[in-house]
Amino acid sequence: MSEREHTGRILDGRFELLERLGSGGMGTVWRALDLGLHREVAIKEVRPADADQIDSDPVTAAQLRERVLRESRALARLQHPNVVSIYQIIESADSPYPWIVMELVRGTSLDARLADGVLSPSDAARIGRDVLAALRSAHSAGVMHRDVKPGNVLLRTDGSAVLTDFGIAALQGSTQLTATGDVIGSPEYIAPERLRGDETHTASDFWSLAMLLYVAVEGYHPMRRASTMATLAAVMTEPVPPPRRAGALAPALNAALRNDPAARPTGEVLDQMFAAAERDSPPPPLGPPTPAGFAVPGPPSGPQPQYPHWPTPTPMPVSGPQPHGYPQSYPTPLPKARKRTGAVVLSLVGVALVVATVVLVNHLRDVDNSAKSPTGTTTTVATQRDVGLPGGQPTTAADAGKTDLLTPAGAREAVAALGGVMGGTMVSELTLWPDHATAVAPTAAVANGFDDFEYQGGKATRKGADGVDADRPLIDLNQVNWDAIPALLDQANKELGVPQPTLRYLIVDSDIIDKTPSIKVYLIDAYGGVFLEANLKGEVQKTYPRGK
């Protein structure tokens, strides 16, 4: 049935379809008039993109219909100001799928709002609290969202945020995705554990929310790649680079974007962190572009749209506007890259600098010297020795007995201990800090599988599964010239333009393009990271100093 034939149609003798607001992989949303109560509502016509295939399989069609009804009934019981209210479910005689009558939110979507520019950290934190409240309410009713993204967050005219489209990814999971090639959910916002097949964690929704807020304040998506498959691979295997413009919101984002769902904060703690950011976040200086991000464009000419309580930000578009100011409330294809003036091209150097920044945050998070803050979150206290400063001195007798792993003897100590747990010296990656080391090594548990390992305090342990990758190259750590470490560190200190690094570390891995193994030595300070690259013999091949 065409849109014109739909318009003017009256459902269930009561709801007149007025206008199509948006459509996607699970159907179409209409603006409609409730003839009985004389109010406008939104009606979702649930019809999957592969409905023709499903219709030919009565069992699958019945299962999908039952899941839609179950999810809708669960949501209909939710009475929360930040959840789009469901009023009624209509079962039409001419369709095997139900129609869902819901609240029509007047305003715009967060997706359309971000097309006009980034949010301040305090505004993003306020929206984050609203969406988090909706998620916690849904989780308490046994409903996970599974598709938190800017297009599914609506902004009322008073500035409050409302979450819509619960359960879409779960509904799509019942369709024959292998036939259509669709992705379950929105690739850029799916938590890594969900991509590995684990749908059991409510913290998956928190990861998606944190990524949404990251995009809102930074102005770009850190895991977006040239294709959907590349994006999925990045989410699964790469750490999220720490935000640079998030101000007081950064601790909450870093905590919620941890790869391990068990390590993420609870909903209560995350709300406390958002609340602190909303109260205490000053406008951060933009500074230089985040590695792998886009250059910040200047303000456009002409008047800018105004929104309640939002100062006009420096424009940094991240997505396109939606029709009629209403969100396209269903999963959409990964947006194609836009042509931008002054855009920063993501090169291998950019990737390496992103890794450098991530390692800094992870290291400072994991050091032993930590203390509890008044809000219950962990505040890390790092000594000079912890971060590998030249001339750093241990502060306790226990520290005095520790081996610096960024020495030939220390590196061999870590490799020997890790080898005993890994069952050999073959790895895809090894990272050495002054006080601990991590490695990714093949496992016998599954074909082409890899596990994560850690060495700290004189003990090597297996941390868990890393993933499956048939193309991941391996390096024999026995082939690395550990005696070259002092000379590499000395050259890095002299040539990379970071006179007072707050962190030094070393990575042994392979090039992502030609698979060539290398040693990379990184220096980090408050302004970012630099590094040099050497072969396994310790012969320097390239340097990437600051300002060049």
Side-chain angles (χ1 to χ4, degrees):
M1 185 177 292
S2 68
E3 178 177 350
R4 178 171 295 181
E5 290 171 320
H6 261 99
T7 303
R9 178 183 177 186
I10 297 178
L11 296 175
D12 201 35
R14 176 173 174 176
F15 300 99
E16 180 183 0
L17 300 184
L18 301 178
E19 176 188 24
R20 188 178 70 166
L21 297 175
S23 60
M26 288 302 295
T28 303
V29 176
W30 295 84
R31 183 171 64 89
L33 177 63
D34 183 338
L35 300 175
L37 296 178
H38 299 284
R39 67 176 178 182
E40 289 192 345
V41 296
I43 297 183
K44 182 189 299 181
E45 176 189 10
V46 180
R47 181 175 175 80
D50 52 356
D52 291 340
Q53 288 183 325
I54 297 175
D55 291 345
S56 63
D57 182 354
V59 174
T60 301
Q63 290 175 343
L64 176 60
R65 176 179 173 278
E66 181 59 32
R67 181 168 289 184
V68 171
L69 293 174
R70 185 171 63 249
E71 296 267 359
S72 300
R73 288 165 181 156
L75 285 172
R77 293 194 298 268
L78 293 180
Q79 298 296 320
H80 194 279
N82 302 115
V83 176
V84 171
S85 299
I86 291 181
Y87 300 143
Q88 187 173 335
I89 301 172
I90 301 173
E91 298 190 61
S92 174
D94 59 356
S95 173
Y97 309 107
W99 298 64
I100 304 173
V101 183
M102 66 188 77
E103 169 191 4
L104 178 65
V105 177
R106 306 239 177 231
T108 188
S109 71
L110 179 59
D111 199 34
R113 166 63 184 84
L114 293 179
D116 296 324
V118 296
L119 299 180
S120 70
S122 58
D123 286 334
R126 183 173 64 252
I127 290 174
R129 292 195 74 189
D130 285 349
V131 177
L132 178 62
L135 290 173
R136 294 177 66 189
S137 176
H139 292 169
S140 67
V143 179
M144 289 177 61
H145 191 283
R146 299 184 175 92
D147 197 24
V148 180
K149 62 179 181 181
N152 285 340
V153 175
L154 312 182
L155 303 177
R156 291 193 175 103
T157 54
D158 65 359
S160 61
V162 187
L163 188 59
T164 186
D165 254 353
F166 282 80
I168 288 299
L171 302 183
Q172 285 186 312
S174 65
T175 68
Q176 299 298 320
L177 293 176
T178 55
T180 65
D182 291 339
V183 177
I184 300 174
S186 303
E188 298 168 307
Y189 296 95
I190 301 177
E193 65 272 10
R194 287 192 56 227
L195 293 176
R196 293 190 287 265
D198 186 350
E199 297 277 0
T200 63
H201 299 280
T202 54
S204 298
D205 281 343
F206 298 161
W207 191 97
S208 300
L209 170 58
M211 183 57 73
L212 174 154
L213 297 176
Y214 187 116
V215 172
V217 296
E218 295 293 304
Y220 81 102
H221 197 296
M223 314 311 283
R224 180 177 293 171
R225 301 296 183 263
S227 67
T228 297
M229 292 305 297
T231 297
L232 295 175
V235 172
M236 286 185 66
T237 63
E238 299 178 21
V240 179
R244 296 285 297 277
R245 301 177 176 88
L249 184 59
L253 300 186
N254 289 331
L257 289 171
R258 292 171 179 167
N259 189 275
D260 181 3
R264 297 170 200 154
T266 64
E268 180 180 2
V269 171
L270 191 56
D271 182 66
Q272 293 173 357
M273 298 176 81
F274 284 160
E278 183 181 0
R279 291 191 306 268
D280 303 328
S281 177
L286 289 181
T290 302
F294 294 112
V296 182
S301 58
Q304 296 300 301
Q306 298 296 312
Y307 299 88
H309 314 298
W310 291 327
T312 302
T314 300
M316 191 182 296
V318 294
S319 58
Q322 303 298 324
H324 308 291
Y326 194 87
Q328 191 170 358
S329 300
Y330 300 98
T332 54
L334 188 66
K336 295 181 179 179
R338 301 181 179 187
K339 294 183 179 179
R340 301 172 185 261
T341 302
V344 177
V345 178
L346 176 58
S347 64
L348 296 183
V349 176
V351 172
L353 292 178
V354 170
V355 173
T357 314
V358 170
V359 171
L360 169 61
V361 171
N362 287 342
H363 174 73
L364 294 180
R365 184 194 67 201
D366 293 335
V367 293
D368 292 333
N369 295 330
S370 59
K372 290 290 183 178
S373 70
T375 60
T377 57
T378 299
T379 303
T380 301
V381 181
T383 65
Q384 278 190 307
R385 185 182 186 283
D386 288 328
V387 297
L389 279 171
Q393 297 298 319
T395 57
T396 67
D399 286 336
K402 293 182 179 178
T403 302
D404 184 353
L405 302 187
L406 290 179
T407 63
R412 290 189 173 95
E413 173 187 304
V415 169
L418 286 167
V421 178
M422 297 185 305
T425 57
M426 302 299 293
V427 300
S428 66
E429 179 182 316
L430 172 75
T431 304
L432 295 175
W433 288 269
D435 59 352
H436 76 288
T438 60
V440 180
T443 176
V446 61
N448 302 315
F450 289 82
D451 286 341
D452 293 327
F453 298 87
E454 182 179 52
Y455 174 77
Q456 189 164 19
K459 182 180 180 181
T461 56
R462 176 185 178 276
K463 304 302 290 184
D466 184 81
V468 176
D469 187 348
D471 297 324
R472 190 180 301 187
L474 297 177
I475 300 171
D476 186 351
L477 295 179
N478 287 330
Q479 302 300 315
V480 180
N481 178 17
W482 303 113
D483 291 325
I485 290 180
L488 292 176
L489 289 171
D490 184 61
Q491 185 169 345
N493 289 331
K494 292 178 179 178
E495 299 182 9
L496 295 184
V498 178
Q500 294 183 321
T502 53
L503 176 66
R504 299 181 299 166
Y505 62 93
L506 177 153
I507 295 178
V508 179
D509 64 1
S510 299
D511 185 89
I512 62 174
I513 303 298
D514 61 19
K515 310 296 178 66
T516 302
S518 66
I519 304 171
K520 298 182 181 73
V521 174
Y522 291 85
L523 302 182
I524 312 294
D525 64 9
Y527 298 97
V530 293
F531 72 103
L532 62 76
E533 182 176 347
N535 60 26
L536 298 188
K537 296 179 181 179
E539 299 166 340
V540 175
Q541 308 294 305
K542 298 178 183 178
T543 61
Y544 300 94
R546 175 160 294 157
K548 295 183 180 180

